[in-house]
Amino acid sequence: MLLIVLELIGIAVFAASGAVAAVRARLDVFGVTILALTTALGGGIVRDVLLGVHPPTSLRNWPYLLVAGGTGLIVFWFHPQVARLRRSVLLLDAVGLGLFVTSGTTTALALGATPYAACLIGMTTGIGGGALRDLLLREIPLVLRREIYAVAALAGAVVVAVGEWAGLPKGLVALTGASIIITIRLIALWRKWNAPVARGLEG
């Protein structure tokens, strides 16, 4: 039950980030809701498609759709108040990323994926929704151009894969992987870390 609650919190936070981006792009209420659903559930849907899980888990469990869609509507109507909670949203986003990546990696391993494939699938579970959000808004995905986000996700996924390969307790492995992701993400936000880009570019 605790894991389900944490997953729903992560979905709500990701949905809120998608809805905020949609509001800023001046989309209508339908567009805001669609972008909230895409951001919250997109990574999990991509994971299930890659693993051959049909229909995707998030489309079979109505609470996931309800939480994501409801969060989008709340942000649409109360976006000025949500904008003031930026720090809290960023903190919860880091927690959501940790949960999504570790659960995605664990699910991939349980369904027979190789460790390296499971790491990539776990990372995609965490960052896929945000990448789809940016593509729908005709932007280069944020995870590819700013902030330590995908790197943190991949690091946590690797920890989970190595831990399970070593036969360590699953709960401890998942907690450790999620903690590493959250820690890296929060330190990157605090220190304003970005991945290096190529030097000597004009413009």
Side-chain angles (χ1 to χ4, degrees):
M1 179 59 69
L2 177 61
L3 181 59
I4 293 174
V5 171
L6 291 174
E7 272 198 338
L8 291 175
I9 291 173
I11 286 173
V13 173
F14 279 15
S17 72
V20 168
V23 168
R24 289 175 179 166
R26 307 187 71 83
L27 301 188
D28 62 17
V29 62
F30 181 75
V32 171
T33 305
I34 290 300
L35 216 61
L37 287 164
T38 300
T39 308
L41 306 178
I45 291 174
V46 171
R47 175 202 65 202
D48 289 349
V49 169
L50 291 174
L51 293 173
V53 178
H54 303 294
T57 304
S58 58
L59 301 183
R60 286 187 280 114
N61 295 314
W62 64 264
Y64 290 7
L65 293 167
L66 179 63
V67 169
T71 300
L73 292 174
I74 290 171
V75 171
F76 179 81
W77 293 110
F78 300 102
H79 61 89
Q81 291 86 343
V82 173
R84 298 192 195 104
L85 301 174
R86 183 175 180 275
R87 290 188 177 181
S88 298
V89 171
L90 287 174
L91 172 61
L92 291 173
D93 179 81
V95 174
L97 180 66
L99 291 171
F100 278 34
V101 171
T102 53
S103 67
T105 307
T106 301
T107 300
L109 290 169
L111 292 177
T114 59
Y116 67 86
C119 290
L120 295 176
I121 290 172
M123 180 184 70
T124 302
T125 305
I127 71 173
L132 290 172
R133 172 200 65 206
D134 294 343
L135 290 173
L136 288 174
L137 293 174
R138 294 189 299 178
E139 298 177 359
I140 298 173
L142 184 67
V143 298
L144 301 181
R145 58 188 171 88
R146 282 184 57 198
E147 303 182 355
I148 304 297
Y149 201 92
V151 173
L154 185 58
V158 169
V159 168
V160 172
V162 170
E164 295 223 5
W165 173 79
L168 299 175
K170 293 182 182 294
L172 176 62
V173 168
L175 179 61
T176 303
S179 298
I180 287 174
I181 294 170
I182 295 167
T183 301
I184 294 175
R185 183 75 186 115
L186 293 180
I187 292 176
L189 287 170
W190 173 47
R191 302 291 298 176
K192 295 182 173 22
W193 286 347
N194 290 300
V197 298
R199 295 184 177 182
L201 297 176
E202 296 182 0

